[in-house]
Amino acid sequence: MTREPHHLHLAPFQAAIFDMDGTILDTESVFKTIVFEVCTELGFEMTDAVHMNMVGASHEHTSQMLMEAYGVAFPYTIFDDRCRVIMRDRMHTEIPVKPGARELITELRERNIPTAIATSSRRAHAWTHLGNAGLLDLFDTIVTRDDVVNPKPAPEPYLLAAKRLGIEPQHCLALEDSHTGVRAAHAAGMQTVMVPDLVHPSDEIRELGIAIHESLHHVRRAAFPAT
């Protein structure tokens, strides 16, 4: 696929706000496998198209989307609980981190640039996974689904993160891997970068005029060209 040049410099920013799963934690591919397994157990056939709509979405959106795809009889609560149990079992010791994540976060801290998480995941999930990855203490604030009324693609998670950091949204850099997250960060008025994981940028996403970088290593070089 065509991406923006990796050397494209980012505009100066005063804070960095990260999505979690698929952006700094390499968990989306593991969760995809679990989603397909659990749907099969429940007698439903998961497809790539349905799964892609789940990436980056809130629990409410996912529930609605699955019922639209499979009917109101789809047992979302059972599905969600089963996915959580399997995910916890498979990721209970060490959470894989996306390439360049530690280096970028470390660079930001060394430059005294505040950082935050804005995730659609629930608080317990977020804190457990960030803790197991050794990243929990590296962020100044963590905004989860439990902290907002309107989750992504609404801008509220990003606006709340910026408010907690004390930085105006237009001075924040937002890093996302999903269409849902990109829409949220862009709507918040932030300089938004997409680092694709399982989902590639669509024409709609490209039309937003955001930067697209292959990895967080590339984002770091674009943010701090001398490093």
Side-chain angles (χ1 to χ4, degrees):
M1 77 182 183
T2 302
R3 294 192 175 99
E4 297 292 334
H6 300 322
H7 63 271
L8 183 65
H9 293 180
L10 298 177
F13 55 92
Q14 298 175 15
I17 304 176
F18 294 79
D19 171 57
M20 189 179 72
D21 291 301
T23 300
I24 60 171
L25 301 184
D26 196 5
T27 50
E28 289 289 11
S29 59
V30 176
F31 191 66
K32 177 181 180 179
T33 299
I34 294 170
V35 164
F36 274 73
E37 290 176 0
V38 172
C39 273
T40 299
E41 288 179 9
L42 296 175
F44 296 87
E45 183 180 358
M46 176 57 61
T47 67
D48 285 331
V50 172
H51 170 260
M52 286 302 175
N53 285 328
M54 294 173 59
V55 176
S58 67
H59 293 282
E60 293 87 348
H61 175 79
T62 299
S63 174
Q64 179 182 355
M65 186 268 299
L66 289 174
M67 289 184 182
E68 290 174 354
Y70 300 111
V72 294
F74 185 84
Y76 179 75
T77 300
I78 296 173
F79 166 82
D80 185 52
D81 288 345
R82 181 69 177 139
C83 286
R84 287 171 182 269
V85 169
I86 297 175
M87 189 71 171
R88 186 166 57 246
D89 288 344
R90 293 185 185 177
M91 310 291 281
H92 73 283
T93 54
E94 182 177 353
I95 304 293
V97 176
K98 296 288 287 185
R102 294 187 192 279
E103 292 85 350
L104 176 56
I105 296 166
T106 298
E107 177 100 6
L108 291 165
R109 289 176 63 82
E110 289 175 349
R111 292 174 177 266
N112 294 315
I113 297 174
T115 58
I117 292 286
T119 178
S120 295
S121 295
R122 297 288 184 182
R123 185 178 295 116
H125 171 94
W127 283 61
T128 297
H129 279 200
L130 289 169
N132 288 344
L135 300 176
L136 183 60
D137 296 331
L138 300 184
F139 295 95
D140 295 285
T141 190
I142 299 170
V143 175
T144 71
R145 176 62 188 90
D146 298 316
D147 299 309
V148 299
V149 175
N150 302 300
K152 303 175 188 178
E156 185 179 349
Y158 277 99
L159 294 175
L160 179 57
K163 181 179 180 180
R164 288 181 177 179
L165 294 176
I167 306 294
E168 292 296 321
Q170 65 268 27
H171 298 308
C172 295
L173 174 69
L175 298 157
E176 274 284 354
D177 72 294
S178 72
H179 295 176
T180 299
V182 166
R183 294 186 192 106
H186 185 266
M190 298 184 178
Q191 178 179 191
T192 305
V193 174
M194 183 177 184
V195 185
D197 183 35
L198 298 184
V199 179
H200 298 314
S202 63
D203 291 340
E204 173 210 349
I205 294 300
R206 292 183 184 281
E207 287 173 2
L208 295 179
I210 65 165
I212 301 166
H213 285 280
E214 185 175 337
S215 75
L216 294 176
H217 284 302
H218 294 96
V219 173
R220 181 174 172 234
R221 289 198 288 271
F224 310 117
T227 61

